[in-house]
Amino acid sequence: MTKQTAFSLSILLVFFFHCITTLGQPAAAPAQPANAPVQPANAPVQPPTPPVVQPAKAPAPVQSAKVPPIKKGVPDVTKILGKAGGFSVFIRLLKSTGVSDQLYGQLNNSNNGFTIFAPTDAAFSSLKAGTINSLSDLQKTQLVQFHILNTVVTLSNFQTLSNPVPTEAGDTSAGEFPLTVTTAGNQVNISTILVNTTLGGTVYSDNQLDIYQVDQVLLPVDIFSPKPKHKAPASAPTLSKPKSADNDDDADTDTPSVAAKVNASGAVSLNRHGILVSIGVAVIASLSRRDLMA
């Protein structure tokens, strides 16, 4: 009994010691799995990402044509004449025909110069009523241009011009717009064949533009006295065509010639004379027979 009790106590002591030893040690780390999970053979296919669309670039602004800058001090013909006064009709014609804009543009864009003969309002009043209104738009433009020379001419340089003087209206070689300028001392005479006048005072003068007053409207011959239209020459009388040989033969057979007529008349006359001679011979013979019988 005592041995069994001692044996049981020893077993309990061993168990108790084992438990104390086990509790005193740190807990062991959890065991790692033997093999890592196997990755799938093929990764899932990702859907293609749509391309990024770049926004369209705005078109570059169209550059407008460069307008040449306006020169400082460019003379304006209509303003100059308006300030001088007495040229309202000529100013109206310059504007309505567009010649004033052309002059301003050329004076601004180039070094060209012009000389203008400006008729006064009194000069236009001296014309017959309706003279200007009866002109076509082209003729009004030519009338204004006939008062403009495509060069700067000072008072001292008029004597150097060679006649006929060309104007903006047209070519003088064709004789359509002849303008003659002559000088006598300090006097400058202008002739258009239809109008003879003298140069008046200077309205404006610089290195690009000279404007002079004239007391008569310069009337070009081509507009106010146009050349008469030449009539077509009368056609010369046509000669009759000579007849062909066949026609001559037909004419000979159908119509007797003059010689044939003469021969026929001669034959008739000869026949008549022959008959008379025969009658006379017969009468003489009968008389002579009577005498013999007697």
Side-chain angles (χ1 to χ4, degrees):
M1 187 75 180
T2 303
K3 290 181 180 180
Q4 292 179 351
T5 302
F7 179 76
S8 299
L9 290 172
S10 61
I11 291 173
L12 289 171
L13 289 172
V14 171
F15 178 78
F16 181 76
F17 179 79
H18 176 73
C19 290
I20 293 171
T21 305
T22 303
L23 292 173
Q25 293 179 358
Q32 295 292 332
N35 295 321
V38 180
Q39 295 291 334
N42 295 325
V45 179
Q46 297 292 334
T49 56
V52 179
V53 179
Q54 297 291 337
K57 294 181 178 180
V62 179
Q63 295 182 353
S64 58
K66 293 183 178 180
V67 179
I70 299 176
K71 295 180 182 178
K72 293 183 178 180
V74 176
D76 189 323
V77 176
T78 56
K79 290 183 178 180
I80 294 171
L81 293 175
K83 186 177 180 179
F87 301 96
S88 59
V89 178
F90 191 56
I91 292 172
R92 186 166 62 250
L93 285 174
L94 283 168
K95 291 181 177 180
S96 63
T97 58
V99 175
S100 60
D101 293 336
Q102 295 176 2
L103 289 172
Y104 188 79
Q106 294 188 34
L107 290 172
N108 181 58
N109 299 331
S110 66
N111 295 324
N112 293 342
F114 297 95
T115 299
I116 300 177
F117 304 119
T120 61
D121 292 339
F124 283 99
S125 298
S126 64
L127 298 175
K128 294 181 180 179
T131 299
I132 303 300
N133 293 333
S134 63
L135 300 179
S136 65
D137 292 340
L138 175 60
Q139 290 174 332
K140 290 179 181 178
T141 301
Q142 291 173 333
L143 175 64
V144 174
Q145 291 175 337
F146 191 59
H147 292 74
I148 303 173
L149 307 183
N150 191 13
T151 184
V152 177
V153 184
T154 60
L155 285 173
S156 60
N157 289 335
F158 275 104
Q159 59 185 357
T160 63
L161 297 178
S162 58
N163 293 310
V165 178
T167 67
E168 289 290 290
D171 187 7
T172 58
S173 61
E176 296 178 349
F177 297 94
L179 183 66
T180 303
V181 178
T182 57
T183 59
N186 294 329
Q187 180 175 315
V188 179
N189 302 315
I190 304 175
S191 174
T192 70
I193 299 177
L194 297 178
V195 174
N196 296 313
T197 186
T198 57
L199 201 67
T202 302
V203 179
Y204 180 85
S205 179
D206 66 9
N207 59 348
Q208 270 193 296
L209 180 67
D210 279 337
I211 302 178
Y212 301 100
Q213 173 183 323
V214 288
D215 295 331
Q216 293 191 49
V217 180
L218 305 180
L219 304 179
V221 175
D222 188 61
I223 296 177
F224 295 94
S225 182
K227 298 177 182 178
K229 296 182 179 179
H230 297 288
K231 295 183 179 180
S235 58
T238 57
L239 298 176
S240 59
K241 296 182 179 179
K243 296 181 180 180
S244 60
D246 296 338
N247 292 336
D248 292 343
D249 294 340
D250 296 340
D252 291 341
T253 57
D254 295 341
T255 304
S257 63
V258 176
K261 291 181 180 180
V262 173
N263 291 337
S265 61
V268 172
S269 61
L270 289 175
N271 290 335
R272 289 178 180 177
H273 287 295
I275 293 171
L276 294 175
V277 171
S278 298
I279 294 174
V281 171
V283 172
I284 293 172
S286 60
L287 292 176
S288 60
R289 286 178 179 178
R290 289 178 181 180
D291 293 337
L292 290 174
M293 292 177 65

